[in-house]
Amino acid sequence: MEPPEVSLENTDAVYDYYRDHRQNLVKAKAAYWLLGRRFQPRVHYADSARKALRDFISDGRPLIISINHLSEKDPYTVSAAAWRSPLRPVIGHTRVLAKHEVFADRKMRGTLDMMGGLPVFRSKDHESSSVNAASERLIDTCAVVLARGDSIALFPEGTCNYIDHTRVLELGGGIGHIVSRARTLAADPVLVSLGLSYGPRPDPAAELSKTDVRSASFYFGMPIGELPSQPADITRIARDELQAALDGAVAAY
């Protein structure tokens, strides 16, 4: 299938395409390996979290990987951390939610498709009520992906945190609805919270230096394999767990 234009007016075609899109495993793993070598992030774990994550992956449980968002550089450092962690086996089998604007450049889109990118139409970028319909299609697509055994990675804050790099912003309800809807398709996702810190930053909105990016600290919280039934309760736990993971990343920096 020819890749459709990623635009709000073309929502159905976009999500029909990305629902069935498959990454090139060889290229994806090579790209993550290169990022792992380039950025060399430090990866830390809550007690027993590393083994628990490996066990869930070995059991074939799909993951919903929740990461705090600090910079436009995050997708690169997160990819590097994935290569240097127990997430390595799910590389090439993970969709990464990204704002739709980055799919506009043809060369960048090729990279995003190879890395597992999945477009998100954010309400902050559009005034049209069509965003609600697009959000529903996105949630449906994520549910299908999880039901097929693949994983989802997302920045549930929905925007870069330029306010306080040590405190997670309020989360939108998307992560709770994705898990809830995936369950209607007999999927049983595991929540994986991954905290990210670039160290002390007097100005959280300042551009990161190369040293900042290369010294990123990541922290995996304990994966949660049993989540509540209600989307709001899932979202609440996701925020609490993400804050705990961020606390760990900050402390380990």
Side-chain angles (χ1 to χ4, degrees):
M1 182 188 298
E2 190 69 19
E5 177 189 358
V6 177
S7 66
L8 186 59
E9 296 73 25
N10 209 25
T11 296
D12 286 339
V14 167
Y15 289 122
D16 284 346
Y17 175 79
Y18 282 102
R19 178 193 60 212
D20 299 323
H21 179 260
R22 309 301 295 180
Q23 296 170 252
N24 183 305
L25 287 177
V26 174
K27 289 184 178 180
K29 289 184 181 295
Y32 278 74
W33 171 77
L34 285 170
L35 290 169
R37 284 187 57 114
R38 178 180 178 184
F39 294 111
Q40 301 181 8
R42 293 166 294 135
V43 184
H44 315 274
Y45 304 85
D47 290 344
S48 303
R50 188 171 191 167
K51 181 182 185 304
L53 182 54
R54 284 175 169 164
D55 288 345
F56 280 128
I57 292 172
S58 295
D59 290 343
R61 294 277 297 275
L63 312 176
I64 183 155
I65 306 163
S66 170
I67 313 144
N68 63 298
H69 199 4
L70 300 176
S71 163
E72 299 295 338
K73 300 288 197 306
D74 293 355
Y76 304 104
T77 57
V78 170
S79 297
W83 180 259
R84 297 166 68 90
S85 79
L87 293 179
R88 188 181 296 184
V90 303
I91 291 172
H93 301 283
T94 301
R95 308 297 178 88
V96 183
L97 273 58
K99 59 185 180 181
H100 82 279
E101 295 97 323
V102 296
F103 289 79
D105 180 85
R106 185 171 182 177
K107 182 178 179 181
M108 176 60 74
R109 181 171 183 183
T111 300
L112 290 163
D113 285 358
M114 179 266 293
M115 299 290 282
L118 180 58
V120 178
F121 298 95
R122 302 181 300 178
S123 58
K124 62 178 285 187
D125 300 322
H126 302 277
E127 296 181 359
S128 171
S129 60
S130 298
V131 173
N132 293 332
S135 297
E136 287 297 311
R137 283 302 312 269
L138 171 64
I139 291 169
D140 284 341
T141 301
C142 290
V144 169
V145 167
L146 291 166
R148 290 175 176 171
D150 283 356
S151 296
I152 296 289
L154 73 165
F155 299 104
E157 292 167 298
T159 189
C160 289
N161 183 351
Y162 295 139
I163 300 171
D164 182 350
H165 64 280
T166 68
R167 301 300 302 172
V168 174
L169 300 174
E170 289 301 319
L171 307 190
I175 190 168
H177 286 287
I178 289 170
V179 172
S180 179
R181 200 161 303 178
R183 284 173 169 162
T184 67
L185 301 178
D188 192 13
V190 175
L191 175 66
V192 178
S193 300
L194 181 56
L196 163 62
S197 173
Y198 295 110
R201 299 175 66 194
D203 180 4
E207 186 73 19
L208 291 170
S209 68
K210 289 183 179 180
T211 301
D212 292 331
V213 175
R214 286 185 62 87
S215 64
S217 168
F218 286 89
Y219 186 94
F220 282 91
M222 177 62 73
I224 298 180
E226 295 185 13
L227 292 164
S229 59
Q230 295 302 312
D233 294 330
I234 296 168
T235 300
R236 191 176 305 111
I237 287 178
R239 189 188 185 285
D240 291 345
E241 291 297 317
L242 186 53
Q243 182 62 59
L246 175 55
D247 292 343
V250 170
Y253 184 81

